[in-house]
Amino acid sequence: GAGVSQSPSNKVTEKGKDVELRCDPISGHTALYWYRQSLGQGLEFLIYFQGNSAPDKSGLPSDRFSAERTGGSVSTLTIQRTQQEDSAVYLCASSLDAGGEQYFGPGTRLTVT
Amino acid sequence: RKEVEQDPGPFNVPEGATVAFNCTYSNSASQSFFWYRQDCRKEPKLLMSVYSSGNEDGRFTAQLNRASQYISLLIRDSKLSDSATYLCVGLNTGGFKTIFGAGTRLFVKA
């Protein structure tokens, strides 16, 4: 079956621009997670959705970051006024329900110049 | 102290060796644990869940020790294809905040 998909796969943007990253979870998965991985670093938890709601947004690095999920399916992560330190791979994962095994998408590699 | 800590390695082992990774966690609220592997410039892939009773999948065995707050992964008969970074993961009660360890790098050499 189809796995988690993310788009775009690569994004190069100028400092100060806004970017929108998209995640399509596995069909039927109620839980969706966003992570960030900087080069050579571990995964940093950003936000989690159960259905369309996000119980905890404290992992978002700053108020420039926001995320939403609609229809219990697709999610978008928006970064406003991008900075060079935002350069990283942004990974999305979904699981059948909270606490279950997470399956990752291929990620979006964001480069801010 | 990090919530999930792993020995970063690298571990350099010959083919056929047995290698063990440990991971400690500090948050007793952590309820679910997993091991993932991540190849260079790829997304993490689920290797196995970790149960209190221990579980085995072929050459891989995972154990959870709640009293000492650590999980372990044992790889027997290492293959070249096992070369990767191994990540341990803990989820808190409610299953939403996921904490990944920084990963342990394994190199298996011929």
Side-chain angles (χ1 to χ4, degrees):
Chain A
V4 178
S5 61
Q6 292 186 246
S7 62
S9 55
N10 281 283
K11 176 71 176 179
V12 180
T13 190
E14 291 180 354
K15 178 181 171 181
K17 302 280 191 183
D18 298 351
V19 294
E20 193 171 277
L21 313 180
R22 176 187 168 107
C23 172
D24 261 292
I26 293 171
S27 178
H29 279 197
T30 63
L32 185 148
Y33 305 78
W34 282 100
Y35 299 90
R36 177 170 72 173
Q37 188 171 33
S38 300
L39 189 63
Q41 302 297 309
L43 273 76
E44 176 188 3
F45 170 81
L46 297 180
I47 192 169
Y48 149 86
F49 287 91
Q50 178 60 45
N52 291 336
S53 63
D56 184 353
K57 300 181 180 180
S58 62
L60 294 175
S62 75
D63 59 8
R64 297 185 295 105
F65 287 71
S66 62
E68 65 174 16
R69 188 180 186 195
T70 54
S73 181
V74 172
S75 177
T76 54
L77 178 68
T78 302
I79 309 172
Q80 296 178 308
R81 305 181 302 282
T82 51
Q83 303 294 312
Q84 287 186 328
E85 60 263 28
D86 299 334
S87 297
V89 176
Y90 289 81
L91 291 155
C92 173
S94 71
S95 62
L96 191 59
D97 48 34
E101 299 160 344
Q102 295 179 30
Y103 296 89
F104 281 81
T108 294
R109 185 172 300 274
L110 175 66
T111 304
V112 181
T113 60
Chain B
R1 181 185 174 187
K2 293 180 181 177
E3 287 192 59
V4 176
E5 292 206 62
Q6 293 183 252
D7 182 342
F11 284 53
N12 293 287
V13 303
E15 271 188 296
T18 295
V19 60
F21 304 136
N22 283 330
C23 173
T24 59
Y25 62 95
S26 59
N27 187 349
S28 59
S30 296
Q31 292 296 314
S32 304
F33 301 91
F34 305 90
W35 282 101
Y36 282 75
R37 69 170 279 166
Q38 187 173 28
D39 294 284
C40 190
R41 298 176 75 84
K42 297 286 190 181
E43 72 273 20
K45 290 194 185 299
L46 179 69
L47 185 62
M48 58 199 306
S49 304
V50 187
Y51 305 120
S52 297
S53 55
N55 50 307
E56 186 174 312
D57 183 2
R59 298 182 294 109
F60 300 84
T61 300
Q63 293 276 356
L64 166 62
N65 185 319
R66 288 193 185 275
S68 302
Q69 295 189 194
Y70 78 84
I71 66 174
S72 63
L73 178 68
L74 185 76
I75 305 175
R76 291 179 297 277
D77 188 23
S78 299
K79 312 291 186 190
L80 295 176
S81 58
D82 293 334
S83 297
T85 296
Y86 290 83
L87 306 166
C88 66
V89 185
L91 272 74
N92 71 341
T93 305
F96 63 85
K97 185 172 182 183
T98 312
I99 304 298
F100 275 79
T104 298
R105 192 77 176 90
L106 173 66
F107 293 97
V108 181
K109 299 187 182 300

